[in-house]
């Protein structure tokens, strides 16, 4: 999916579930990732780091949580 910046590091994130969306050729998509506030540097794998919204033609069709793809410790 994307990464979230935490104290200068890019932390890879994944959605909380798998999904498949079938689009028509003319439809436009956008994914917005919103990081949660006050993320500490020691991150456990699967920890909730924010939320995501999937837009199709400027309408929200799917929302959920983004989770850390791997553990990060400093």
């Amino acid at each position: 999916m994307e990464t979230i910046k935490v104290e200068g590091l890019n932390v890879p994130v994944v959605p909380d579930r798998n999904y498949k969306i079938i689009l028509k050729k003319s439809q436009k998509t956008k994914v917005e990732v919103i990081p949660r506030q006050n993320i500490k540097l020691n991150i456990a794998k699967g920890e909730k780091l924010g939320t995501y919204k999937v837009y199709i033609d400027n309408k929200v069709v799917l929302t959920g949580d983004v989770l850390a793809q791997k553990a990060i410790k400093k």
Side-chain angles (χ1 to χ4, degrees), residues 15-27:
D16 57 350
R17 62 185 180 273
N18 291 328
Y19 56 87
K20 184 181 270 188
I21 299 173
I22 299 172
L23 300 171
K24 297 176 185 170
K25 290 182 181 180
S26 62
Q27 290 179 313

Side-chain angles (χ1 to χ4, degrees), residues 1 4 13-19 21 30-36 46-55 60-68:
M1 185 172 226
I4 288 180
V13 293
V14 293
D16 57 350
R17 62 185 180 273
N18 291 328
Y19 56 87
I21 299 173
K30 179 177 88 168
V31 177
E32 178 183 23
V33 176
I34 304 154
R36 78 165 207 242
E47 181 178 340
K48 179 182 171 186
L49 297 180
T51 58
Y52 67 89
K53 294 180 183 179
V54 177
Y55 294 85
V60 176
V61 294
L62 185 66
T63 61
D65 298 326
V66 287
L67 311 174

